[in-house]
Structure formats: structure tokens, C-alpha cells
Amino acid sequence: MTIDAQHQQATTPAPSAEWWAMTPDDAVANARSDAADGLTSDEVARRLAESGPNALVSAPPPSVWKIALAQILELMTLMLIAVTFISLLIGQVTTAIIVAVLVLFNVVTGTRQEVKARRSVDALAKLQIPKARVVRNRQLVQVEAPELVPGDIVELESGDLVPADGRILRSTNLETQESSLTGESLPIPKGPASNPADTALADRTSMVFQNTSVTRGTARVVIVETGMRTQMGRIASLLTQVGDKKSPLQIELDNLTKVLGIIAWTAVLVIVIIGWARGQSLDELLFLATAVAISAIPTGLPVFVQSLLAWGASRLAKEQAIVASLNDVETLGATSAICSDKTGTLTLNEMTVRTAWFAGNSYRVTGQGYSFDGKVLGADGEALDAATLGLAISLPNDATVTVDGDIVGDPTEAALVVLGAKLGVDADQARAEYRRLAEVPFDSDYKFMATLQRIPFQGEQRLVLFVKGAPDVVLGRCTTMIGADRGVVPVAADSATAELEGLSAKGLRTIAFAARFVEDADEGRVAADPMSYVADLVLIGIVGIVDPLRPEAKAAVEIAHNAGIEVRMITGDHAVTAGAIGAELGLGTGAVSGADLKAMSDEELSARLPDLHVFGRVTPDDKLRLVGLLQAQGSIVAMTGDAVNDAAAIKQANIGVAMGSGSEVTKQAAKLVLTDDNFATLVHAVELGRIVYSKITAYLRFQMTQLLSLIILFLAASAFSIAEGVALFPAQVLFINFFVALFAVFAIAADANPPGIMNHPPRDPKVGVVNPLALAEWIGYGVVIFFISLVPLVWGPDEPSPTTPTASMTMAYVVLSLATVLSALLMRRTPESGLLPPIAAVAKMLVWPVILTVLSTELGFLQKMLGTVSLTGWQWLQCIGLTLVLLVVVEGDKFFRRRRRNKRNAAAVPTITTVRTSA
């Protein structure tokens, strides 16, 4: 089609076209373009107006004020605001100020956590920055990537960032790095040859994709998709479809807040009705209502839970794990399924030669990654001395590796440079000394590379054509091989094939090396046509390459399994390679490819998930689907990844985990970033999450016990007309609930980690913090605190008054305050005793609230603020004696519960063993 004809064709191609299956000519025709002349300026303008700019669209971030308003409308906040206004109405200014500060703290903290809703899509949009060389009006010009339209003809070369999805028209030695999109860790050879229509994304070698990079060669492509219709655009669309989710603890605390709200205002209503029936005035009723509301509303709950979560977040940060939101700390502890990326997370992301097959014998290669330390050892432990093999590996190679392990070039070639060094050959020095006289560059069509050099061999200089490439291709061009005595023998195809099959079964990538000695008289002919001489080769050897596991990865997987957490590996690598690595990790049986995954319905896949632990060649949609199905089965899912193609699934997961070295998109979509890229760090983060949750449940046990005791105390005071229903002044309740309880939270946070926390299954999210056992503890312990606090009000030294400070009300306040301190000590663990060591750190922390309690009854300004009076020594002893009743009851209860638990465990041991064996 000519340029003039394009004026009649303004329609852009459909986004669903299977471009990779078309021939180059068909792709150009379907794109209504011209491979030689490109588009005209007028046609570009029309298409730009129709398809829009080649940019990723993101929704505007939510308004800060809107988020803050949502925080204010939370039930707990509304209740506290109501208490603030009522306190002002009745002249309780100190009470109003304290509650107002709590409200402001809660709103500001919650708003800061929420202002991150759309950052992941914004980061995707920022990736769109390259320029492109495009043919327009029969000329090659450079334009900004957003100005590209479908049908543009673009030139690419090594180092370029692909500006949009394109169909390759022609190429030379083209390779692209697509790990950010597909998860494939190695560069992908590309070419114009068509792929079948059902080819998976990672195997579409006739296509290049937006924001992937060209690592080798050149190409001319026709742009077929731009903007949100590119593969990157599809990921951006997936991200906008995945909403933010509340953590299990958030949901539970929301429900608990609603229940507490009902209890609190019901108590207020009952007490006010009783007071009204007694004929109390409106001011007295409002004062009473304020006192009861402050007692019944857990004013410190949001602050203290935030403090514990912040403590957990700081601990995680020290362990190289950064959380995006404090609530994510708790979610970690509920993790029951981990879907992990492979490259760089479970493995080192450093290609390493593990095995070499030479002269019919297998050799083991020691050392890791790109370090030159290591040897090539035979079965007898002797190091291999094979200079020819070292040169064959090092000369047909373009990579460079420094002594510090930094590489330039293809990772696989870098691994071969390291292998050459272990055989005594310095690749850089060898390439400089034995310069290439001719070369056949690597191409995906013929799958090998060849170089001609003059090297020393058996005391003379010989011309040798070294060949490196895919084993099946190289073997097909070999007629002889190096034998056991280092002489040349007929090629043992069966032996070589068996070696290849064994290496492939272990998940190793294989490369074969061969050579052909050339007569000096033929040098000119070889230089003119080196390809024709890649025949009648001598097979030198085969090597097996792998990205080795991180040393701690296998142990981390075992810890996760012991903790009842299912671990699955999801990768862009082939299922066979991934399956072998999964077996080495101990992940469990079952490896499946992305193509097989797509063929299964959701019902079929859900049924097979317990037996599937490795997923290879998967797409972003596959990852998102897997996470969704696991969540539908009730799992709390952690999903790890470092590439753009992981972002949607990471955002969907309950805990999205990004690698510190990964893309900015992935990190901003994630809730946890591992700065050391280590799977073991994730498992340790789960352990810390469990520890934090155990401390939160300890705090809730402590907090709810105090709250219920206060509600019952005020109900009893109203029912029996004690101090006209005002059991304690509002300021006294606030002082205990905030200042005294603050040190209780610090003590719970400072307590030693629960033993064996990773030796039991994850907690069931359906069994929340409010459960029958917890309720029994809260009510039982709360009743005990109520009784010991009631004693001074009923049998105290004087008559308690709602307006005048008295010794009886002060004693009730002191008993309640000391009981708060003792509760923190005793209830930090259950059913384990709270009196057993380690206890020093907790005891040191709890000295301070005791001192505060004493000062609040002795210092004049605190007496005036709180409504307390000084107590005699005998009155202090009475308060301490009443408080010790709580110790006897709580520790006695836990003692009998431990006995019952031990009996149950002893009886259940045979049953548990049988179940695990059968499983």
C-alpha cells in the first residue's frame, strides 16, 4: 500500500488481533501501513485522534480530605466526638481536651495510611519515557513515545527501550529482556517468523513489547498496539480493577467496635434512665452519661493497636522488610499460602554452571554465581585440566565478568566466562590474544554462534572454528567427538543424548561446544562464508547451567511448611525447569504450565490446587487468577514478585510482597518490600506477624477486661445508687485508660516472643479475636476487677460523692489502676503463667504506672485534676490486698486450663500422628 492510499484508511487495527501468528506482510497490511515508507503526518494525526496517545492512563488519586472525612465517620471516632462535645457542655474541659487529642491522632494516622491508593498505576505511567526512531513521510525521524500510533514503522537496536507493542518485520541477532513483563529471567531471541495462534505471551518470539529492553541486535517493527491496549496497558487495567482490602484484624476490630458501641450506649441509656427515675437534674445526667461513655468506650483502642503495629513495623524494618501500612503487619501473621516468584527470591539470580560433560565423562563444577572461586572436579575429585575446553567456552563469547562479580552482557555467557576461568582461561585476555578472524553471530533461527581464531594446539598454531549453541543443533552438525583418551572418536549420540536428558530433568539449561580445525589455505574461504564450515564438527562437551537456590531458601520453605503454610512457586520459566527447582526446594508435587492452566476451568483448578505447587510460563492474568482462587478457598495469600507483570497479582493478594531490586510499579503495588530480595526474610516476616498478633490479642484481653469491669462497675453504682451512679470521675477513667494503660501496652510489646510460634498452623481468620474462649476470659476477669473495685465504694472509709473527692472513690480508683498494671503482667500470656521469666523487661516497664498512680493521689495539681485525695498507709495496704485477689484468680484459672490442655494433647497424640501419616 502506498502512502497516498493510507489517506483512505483511517481505521486503526483491532486490539484483539493475533499479530504474532501473522506473517510480516500480513501484519503490515492489517495495520494499514507501509513497511518501507511508513505513515504520513496526516494519517498519524487521524490515528492519534482515534486511538489516543501511547500512554498509560491512571485515575486521579483520592482526595486527602475525602479520606480524612471517611476516618471521621468511623463509629469509634463519632462516639469520641460525641463525648468531647458533651464534656464541653458540662464544663469538663480537661476531659474534652484529652478525648479531642485522641480523635485528632486517630484521624491523622488513618489518613496517612490511606493516601497511597493509586500509586501503582501512576508508576506504570511514569515508565513511559523513551523516544523512538520511526519512519514517517518516507524519512526516519525521532519522536516521543507517546506520539506513536498503530501502524508506525519503528527501528530498534541494542540498548533501546521498546516504545510500544510491535510485530517484528525483520531482525538481525535480536534479543530482548522481558523479565519485567513475563518473568523469564534470560534474554529472549526474537525474529520475524510467525508463532502459532495459541502461543503463550512469553513465547511470542515474533513480537516485542512496550517497556522491555533490546539487549542484542537490530530490528524493524510495525507498531500494533499502543497505550492501554499494550500488554503493559493491560496490567495497568488489572491494577485499577483490584481494590484495596481491609486486613483481617481491621475487619475484626470494626465488628468489635460496633459491638462495643452498642454495649456502651446501651449502658449509658440504662444508667441515664435509672438516674432520671431517681430525679437527677439534666446536668447531673449528662455528667453521668459522660463518665459512663468514657468508661464504656475503649478510647485507647485505636491508639494502642497502632502502637503495637508500629512496633512490629519497626522490627520488620530491622529485618529488611518494609511494610506500606501498619495493618499489614498483622495480616502477615495470618498468612496461610505463599505464592513466590523464583528468580532472585528463591534463587540467587546468578547463572552458574553446575555440570560439565567432556570426553564422555561427567564433571562437577564447584562455586556459586559469578565468583571465579571453584573448580571442575571429576568423580575421583581430581580437577579437570582441559585448556581446549576452556578456550572453546571463552572465545565464542561476548560477556565480561569482573573480579567483583559484575557482569556486562548475557547472564548465560557470563556463567561460561566464569567456567572458563575455573579451567584456567581468562576470557578477556584470550579474546584479546586470539582475535576473531571470522564470526557467525548467534541467531534464533539457527541457534548457535561460531568464531574463527588461531590458537596454540599440540605445539603449533592452528585455525579453529569454535561453535557454541543449542545441544540438539550442535550435535546434528558433529560427526566426531573427543574421546576418553583425548583423541577423536565417532560421536556417541546415545551417550550425549542420555546426558542431555539427565541434565534437563534436573532443570539445567544445556549448551554444547564443538570445533572444527581448518587448514591455513582455507582461511580466506572460511572468512568469506563461515556458515558453510559449521559442519563435520568435533563435539567438545556439554555444560549444564542453573540459577542456584539461595542457601537459606530450602530451610525457609521447611519452616513455612512446619507452620502450616502452603508454598507455591510461580515463574515465567518453563514448567520443567521450574519443577526441578521446586523439587530441590521441597515444595511438593505438581508442576503445570500456563497453557495447561488456561485450559482448566476455575472449578477444575480449585480442585487440583492442593496438588499443584509449581507454575511455569504463566501470564499476569494467570497469577491474578491463582491468587483469587486461593483467596476464595479461605487462604490469606502472600504473593511475591519483582517485575511489572507481578504487580496486579501483588495488589490482589492479602500481602503483596515486592523485591527491593524490583520495579517501582511492583513496590508501590505491594504491601511489603523485601530490601534483600530474600524468601527467607518473608518467612521471618510471617513469624514477626504472628508475634505481633499474639501481642495484639494479649492487649485486647487486657483492654476488654478493663472495659467490661468499668461498665459493670457503673451499672452497679447506678442500680444501687452509689455516688448517684458516678463510680469514678471521668478524668480518673481517662487517666487510667490512657496514661496507666500506655505502659501496659509497652510492657506487652516488650515481652519475650511466644515459644514455638512457627510450629503450629496459621490462625483461622474466621475465628476472630472475639471468640467464646476470649469472651469467657474478658467477662470472667472483668467481673473479678469489678468486685475488688466495688469494695471500697461500698465499705470504704467515707461516702463516695459525684461532686466531691473522697477517700472511698480514690481507693476504688487506685485498686482499678493497680489492677490495670497487674493485668498487663498476668494477661500478656495465656494459658502460660504471667509470673514466669523472662519477666524483668516487663516488670521494669510496669514500675512507672505504679509511680504515676501514687503521684496522682499525692500531688496537688493531679488531685485537683483527677478528683483524688491522699490515702493512709493502711488504705494503701487494703488496695494492694484487693488487687492481689486478681492475681490468685487469674493464675489459678490458667493453671487449671494448662492441666486440661496437657491432658487433651496427651490423648490426641496418637490421632494426630495417624492423620499426618495418612496425609
Side-chain angles (χ1 to χ4, degrees):
M1 180 182 291
T2 65
I3 292 180
D4 294 333
Q6 294 170 18
H7 290 280
Q8 310 301 321
Q9 304 285 351
T11 305
T12 55
S16 60
E18 295 171 339
W19 300 100
W20 57 92
M22 301 178 188
T23 65
D25 290 341
D26 288 344
V28 172
N30 200 51
R32 297 178 174 86
S33 186
D34 187 291
D37 298 334
L39 302 175
T40 65
S41 298
D42 291 342
E43 180 65 17
V44 168
R46 279 193 291 272
R47 295 194 182 194
L48 191 60
E50 181 179 333
S51 62
N54 177 37
L56 302 181
V57 180
S58 60
S63 164
V64 174
W65 297 110
K66 186 176 180 180
I67 295 172
L69 179 61
Q71 296 291 323
I72 292 172
L73 295 177
E74 290 280 346
L75 180 59
M76 176 75 74
T77 307
L78 290 174
M79 290 191 291
L80 293 176
I81 290 173
V83 170
T84 304
F85 279 110
I86 294 173
S87 300
L88 288 173
L89 283 175
I90 61 175
Q92 294 288 315
V93 178
T94 302
T95 300
I97 291 173
I98 294 175
V99 177
V101 169
L102 285 173
V103 170
L104 183 63
F105 180 85
N106 291 342
V107 171
V108 171
T109 303
T111 301
R112 289 182 62 186
Q113 290 175 6
E114 294 296 328
V115 182
K116 65 181 186 73
R118 296 282 303 172
R119 291 184 302 166
S120 50
V121 179
D122 293 341
L124 267 175
K126 291 175 185 176
L127 284 177
Q128 179 83 294
I129 54 173
K131 293 186 177 182
R133 294 182 302 281
V134 58
V135 179
R136 288 182 179 170
N137 301 310
R138 299 187 177 96
Q139 294 183 341
L140 186 66
V141 295
Q142 184 168 275
V143 302
E144 298 285 342
E147 298 175 17
L148 289 179
V149 297
D152 265 329
I153 305 299
V154 171
E155 297 282 351
L156 296 173
E157 63 182 26
S158 180
D160 285 347
L161 203 61
V162 179
D165 290 3
R167 173 64 168 88
I168 299 171
L169 304 180
R170 65 171 183 263
S171 67
T172 304
N173 305 325
L174 181 66
E175 289 187 1
T176 62
Q177 175 56 264
E178 296 181 352
S179 60
S180 65
L181 180 65
T182 65
E184 169 63 64
S185 55
L186 299 174
I188 309 298
K190 299 281 188 173
S194 302
N195 305 121
D198 60 352
T199 301
L201 176 67
D203 296 318
R204 294 172 190 169
T205 56
S206 60
M207 297 285 294
V208 289
F209 300 105
Q210 185 184 48
N211 283 319
T212 61
S213 58
V214 179
T215 57
R216 175 184 286 181
T218 60
R220 171 170 283 207
V221 304
V222 56
I223 299 301
V224 295
E225 308 287 9
T226 60
M228 296 300 286
R229 298 189 301 177
T230 63
Q231 291 297 324
M232 287 290 179
R234 292 189 63 196
I235 294 174
S237 298
L238 290 174
L239 283 173
T240 60
Q241 295 167 16
V242 179
D244 292 325
K245 296 167 289 299
K246 288 189 174 183
S247 74
L249 182 64
Q250 279 179 297
I251 296 170
E252 292 176 40
L253 290 181
D254 286 347
N255 293 333
L256 180 59
T257 300
K258 292 174 184 177
V259 173
L260 292 178
I262 294 171
I263 294 173
W265 294 110
T266 300
V268 169
L269 182 61
V270 168
I271 291 171
V272 167
I273 290 174
I274 293 173
W276 175 75
R278 274 202 305 264
Q280 290 178 272
S281 66
L282 179 61
D283 285 348
E284 290 174 331
L285 290 176
L286 287 176
F287 183 75
L288 179 60
T290 302
V292 177
I294 290 173
S295 301
I297 298 171
T299 50
L301 181 63
V303 178
F304 295 145
V305 170
Q306 292 286 329
S307 300
L308 283 170
L309 292 174
W311 172 84
S314 66
R315 283 283 305 273
L316 286 169
K318 292 178 182 177
E319 300 293 339
Q320 311 298 316
I322 310 298
V323 288
S325 169
L326 295 182
N327 289 309
D328 300 325
V329 176
E330 175 273 331
T331 310
L332 271 168
T335 300
S336 56
I338 298 176
C339 297
S340 177
D341 187 25
K342 176 183 73 70
T343 305
T345 308
L346 293 167
T347 64
L348 291 170
N349 196 22
E350 295 181 353
M351 302 304 291
T352 304
V353 178
R354 280 272 182 87
T355 302
W357 186 76
F358 174 69
N361 296 312
S362 294
Y363 294 86
R364 177 172 57 92
V365 183
T366 64
Q368 290 278 53
Y370 302 124
S371 168
F372 293 148
D373 295 331
K375 296 180 180 180
V376 182
L377 303 176
D380 55 2
E382 292 294 322
L384 175 64
D385 181 17
T388 304
L389 179 60
L391 289 173
I393 289 168
S394 303
L395 292 177
N397 194 314
D398 296 316
T400 299
V401 182
T402 69
V403 291
D404 297 325
D406 299 323
I407 71 166
V408 177
D410 183 88
T412 300
E413 289 199 334
L416 297 175
V417 168
V418 172
L419 177 62
K422 292 173 182 177
L423 289 168
V425 175
D426 183 317
D428 291 338
Q429 182 179 336
R431 287 187 297 238
E433 187 173 351
Y434 311 121
R435 296 189 177 276
R436 293 176 187 175
L437 305 175
E439 178 181 2
V440 179
F442 180 85
D443 191 278
S444 58
D445 289 339
Y446 45 80
K447 298 181 180 178
F448 63 79
M449 174 184 186
T451 60
L452 179 69
Q453 287 98 355
R454 189 181 299 277
I455 66 169
F457 182 75
Q458 294 183 352
E460 58 179 324
Q461 296 290 321
R462 295 290 307 272
L463 278 174
V464 181
L465 186 71
F466 285 119
V467 180
K468 172 193 71 180
D472 56 335
V473 174
V474 173
L475 276 172
R477 293 173 177 260
C478 291
T479 54
T480 56
M481 62 179 284
I482 296 177
D485 59 355
R486 304 293 173 92
V488 174
V489 299
V491 67
D494 292 342
S495 178
T497 301
E499 182 68 19
L500 284 171
E501 289 176 350
L503 295 177
S504 298
K506 296 176 183 177
L508 275 67
R509 184 182 185 189
T510 53
I511 297 178
F513 297 88
R516 177 175 175 177
F517 287 89
V518 179
E519 297 300 327
D520 289 349
D522 293 331
E523 181 178 351
R525 285 187 288 274
V526 177
D529 184 16
M531 178 67 82
S532 63
Y533 279 77
V534 185
D536 298 326
L537 303 176
V538 179
L539 178 64
I540 297 176
I542 299 170
V543 299
I545 303 175
V546 71
D547 182 6
L549 293 178
R550 285 181 174 272
E552 62 275 27
K554 187 171 183 178
V557 169
E558 185 177 352
I559 292 171
H561 285 166
N562 289 339
I565 301 171
E566 284 280 348
V567 181
R568 291 176 174 84
M569 184 170 69
I570 302 177
T571 176
D573 287 347
H574 287 286
V576 173
T577 303
I581 293 173
E584 189 176 353
L585 278 166
L587 290 183
T589 58
V592 65
S593 67
D596 294 333
L597 204 62
K598 278 184 170 37
M600 298 182 205
S601 66
D602 286 351
E603 292 75 17
E604 291 173 327
L605 181 54
S606 296
R608 290 191 58 188
L609 270 177
D611 299 318
L612 295 176
H613 294 89
V614 176
F615 300 84
R617 267 308 192 250
V618 290
T619 65
D621 299 284
D622 294 331
K623 296 179 182 182
L624 190 61
R625 181 187 177 202
L626 281 168
V627 171
L629 288 177
L630 285 168
Q631 289 173 325
Q633 293 180 349
S635 296
I636 302 297
V637 182
M639 170 75 193
T640 78
D642 59 358
V644 174
N645 70 311
D646 299 316
I650 280 175
K651 190 173 182 182
Q652 171 66 34
N654 302 90
I655 286 291
V657 185
M659 302 298 115
S661 63
S663 70
E664 190 65 21
V665 180
T666 312
K667 283 186 275 190
Q668 293 192 5
K671 293 183 177 179
L672 180 73
V673 178
L674 304 182
T675 57
D676 61 356
D677 295 9
N678 197 335
F679 179 82
T681 302
L682 171 59
V683 174
H684 187 49
V686 171
E687 181 181 8
L688 283 174
R690 289 189 176 191
I691 292 169
V692 168
Y693 183 78
S694 74
K695 292 180 183 295
I696 288 175
T697 55
Y699 165 70
L700 287 175
R701 182 165 52 248
F702 156 80
Q703 169 72 72
M704 295 307 297
T705 298
Q706 312 309 305
L707 183 145
L708 289 174
S709 66
L710 280 168
I711 291 177
I712 300 171
L713 184 63
F714 272 90
L715 283 171
S718 292
F720 299 106
S721 192
I722 301 172
E724 299 182 14
V726 183
L728 295 173
F729 292 129
Q732 291 175 342
V733 175
L734 273 175
F735 190 85
I736 292 172
N737 283 354
F738 190 72
F739 294 103
V740 175
L742 178 66
F743 289 95
V745 177
F746 291 157
I748 291 171
D751 191 23
N753 298 335
I757 200 165
M758 290 296 279
N759 291 330
H760 57 78
R763 63 183 179 84
D764 186 352
K766 296 178 183 177
V767 180
V769 290
V770 183
N771 56 72
L773 178 60
L775 281 173
E777 282 184 322
W778 299 350
I779 295 171
Y781 299 162
V783 167
V784 175
I785 296 175
F786 152 68
F787 274 121
I788 63 176
S789 303
L790 182 66
V791 169
L793 293 175
V794 177
W795 293 289
D798 52 20
E799 185 72 23
S801 168
T803 57
T804 305
T806 63
S808 294
M809 189 177 287
T810 300
M811 288 180 67
Y813 157 76
V814 168
V815 170
L816 193 62
S817 183
L818 294 179
T820 300
V821 176
L822 186 59
S823 293
L825 178 67
L826 302 180
M827 298 179 194
R828 64 198 169 101
R829 301 174 190 162
T830 188
E832 291 76 19
S833 172
L835 301 176
L836 295 177
I839 197 174
V842 175
K844 288 177 184 177
M845 198 71 67
L846 293 178
V847 167
W848 295 105
V850 173
I851 294 173
L852 280 177
T853 301
V854 174
L855 292 177
S856 68
T857 64
E858 298 299 327
L859 296 180
F861 76 95
L862 285 178
Q863 287 179 335
K864 184 176 180 181
M865 183 185 297
L866 301 179
T868 61
V869 298
S870 297
L871 298 179
T872 65
W874 173 244
Q875 288 168 342
W876 273 106
L877 285 175
Q878 287 177 307
C879 292
I880 293 170
L882 287 170
T883 306
L884 291 177
V885 173
L886 177 65
L887 183 149
V888 174
V889 172
V890 173
E891 285 298 321
D893 171 62
K894 292 199 288 186
F895 171 76
F896 288 110
R897 284 169 53 199
R898 287 196 300 272
R899 287 189 61 182
R900 289 196 299 270
R901 182 191 64 181
N902 293 338
K903 288 180 180 178
R904 286 197 305 269
N905 290 345
V909 167
T911 305
I912 293 173
T913 304
T914 303
V915 170
R916 288 182 177 174
T917 303
S918 62

